[in-house]
Amino acid sequence: MRLDNEKPDYDSIEDRRGQGGGFGFPGGGRGGRINIPMGGGRAGGFSLKTILFMVAMYFILKLFGIDLLQVVNQGGMPVPSGTESQITIPDAKTDITDNSGVPAPGNTTASATSDAGKEFVARVLGSTSRVWDQIFTQLGQPYEKPKLVLFEGFVQSACGMGQSAMGPFYCPGDKKVYIDLSFYQDMKNKLGAPGDFAQAYVIAHEVGHHVQNLLGIAGKVTARRMRVSQEEGNALSVRMELQADCFAGIWAQEANASANILEDGDIEEGLNAAAAIGDDRLQKKSQGYVVPESFTHGSSEQRVRWFKRGFQATSLRDCDTFATDNL
């Protein structure tokens, strides 16, 4: 990738690496939360006291009508009654090359306060914000940039406790993308998906979820999932994920058209990454067989197809995964 012409957005990066990730619930205590004793000493893990505390807190809150599992699973988003259930996408053109100049080259030398991985993430994030800001301008609405949190091991988000094993994720409750940079090493070594554009695709996909949140799509899908069966909810999740892949394709197309970011082989890296994290491939690798009804992100073939569709899109509606029977 060529990112020298993309200005790094360090202002939107929260670097929590080295801070640890204690558990907690909102409310109470001097710091506004109840801290849970982690126990286990240096070897890590939960003590019996910790487990009993967590179980007790769960059932106490359950008595007051608060289901923590549901709150975490739904991303911490309140769902008002009477929410409009129609999931639509605006008919906005995605071509930004006529009204966009290439930003001034940023400083490519990592400073004492920013390592190479952080700089790469900051440049990709800056690129996504540049592209989506101009697309949203054509929609007639402002684009609220997401924050991106770098962490190691565990991290607290508005959607609950996240961990590196979950992979990168977006939390609609605080409008932040979370990533442990060790995931990139896992992509290369465990998933067979190396390359800088493969890494950029991961960020662009999570930013795609942020776009869904700003457009109101995420809230409507969450409301609908709460009214349907688990299998139907999984199907809705697949459509959400494939749309985020498509939005990542839109970013790649427009960033390249306006800032010439792509080199030979980059798109192939992105397609390989999309295929590597398909539900069918991951299930086959982990358990030896595939259960399509349990898919939440889409098959390898679907993820590749929708990224390609975004890369060729001329309108946001080209990414309308909720209006088609052919995923």
Side-chain angles (χ1 to χ4, degrees), residues 8-141:
D9 185 5
Y10 287 116
D11 291 340
S12 296
I13 302 290
E14 291 183 20
D15 195 341
R16 301 188 198 172
R17 292 175 295 179
Q19 296 182 15
F23 286 76
F25 292 111
R30 185 174 298 177
R33 54 184 274 176
I34 302 173
N35 292 318
I36 299 180
M38 292 299 294
R42 291 185 180 180
F46 297 114
S47 67
L48 178 59
K49 180 180 178 181
T50 299
I51 295 172
L52 293 175
F53 178 85
M54 294 174 70
V55 172
M57 283 299 300
Y58 174 79
F59 284 106
I60 290 172
L61 291 174
K62 188 86 168 177
L63 290 175
F64 290 95
I66 301 174
D67 189 338
L68 286 176
L69 294 179
Q70 185 180 72
V71 171
V72 172
N73 289 336
Q74 297 302 328
M77 292 187 298
V79 181
S81 60
T83 300
E84 173 58 49
S85 61
Q86 179 100 21
I87 301 171
T88 58
I89 188 168
D91 186 14
K93 299 300 180 185
T94 57
D95 184 2
I96 66 169
T97 55
D98 291 337
N99 62 357
S100 155
V102 176
N107 181 9
T108 58
T109 303
S111 69
T113 58
S114 84
D115 53 65
K118 182 176 180 179
E119 180 179 9
F120 174 80
V121 167
R123 287 188 184 275
V124 174
L125 185 65
S127 178
T128 62
S129 292
R130 178 178 67 82
V131 168
W132 285 110
D133 180 72
Q134 292 173 75
I135 293 176
F136 270 63
T137 296
Q138 297 185 62
L139 276 173
Q141 66 183 81

Side-chain angles (χ1 to χ4, degrees), residues 13 31 55 110 128 135 142 166 203 236-237 253 258 284 295 305:
I13 302 290
V55 172
T128 62
I135 293 176
M166 296 165 52
I203 297 172
L236 285 169
S237 292
Q253 176 193 187
S258 57
K284 185 72 173 177
F295 285 3
R305 184 183 338 139

Side-chain angles (χ1 to χ4, degrees), residues 1-9 92-97 100 103 119-136 138 143 146 148 184 187 195-211 242-263 266-271 273-274 306-316 318-319:
M1 288 186 73
R2 291 181 290 261
L3 291 173
D4 288 351
N5 285 331
E6 295 287 16
K7 185 178 180 180
D9 185 5
K93 299 300 180 185
T94 57
D95 184 2
I96 66 169
T97 55
S100 155
E119 180 179 9
F120 174 80
V121 167
R123 287 188 184 275
V124 174
L125 185 65
S127 178
T128 62
S129 292
R130 178 178 67 82
V131 168
W132 285 110
D133 180 72
Q134 292 173 75
I135 293 176
F136 270 63
Q138 297 185 62
Y143 176 71
L148 187 148
Y184 288 152
M187 284 180 63
D196 52 2
F197 187 76
Q199 297 172 358
Y201 152 77
V202 170
I203 297 172
H205 172 91
E206 298 305 332
V207 171
H209 286 310
H210 178 64
V211 171
L242 295 180
Q243 187 174 77
D245 283 333
C246 192
F247 285 167
I250 287 179
W251 160 74
Q253 176 193 187
E254 297 306 325
N256 187 55
S258 57
N260 195 30
I261 67 169
L262 297 179
E263 298 176 311
D266 279 345
I267 289 300
E268 287 74 19
E269 287 179 5
L271 295 176
W306 281 96
F307 177 82
K308 282 183 176 179
R309 183 158 181 165
F311 192 70
Q312 299 166 352
T314 59
S315 167
L316 285 182
D318 291 333
C319 291

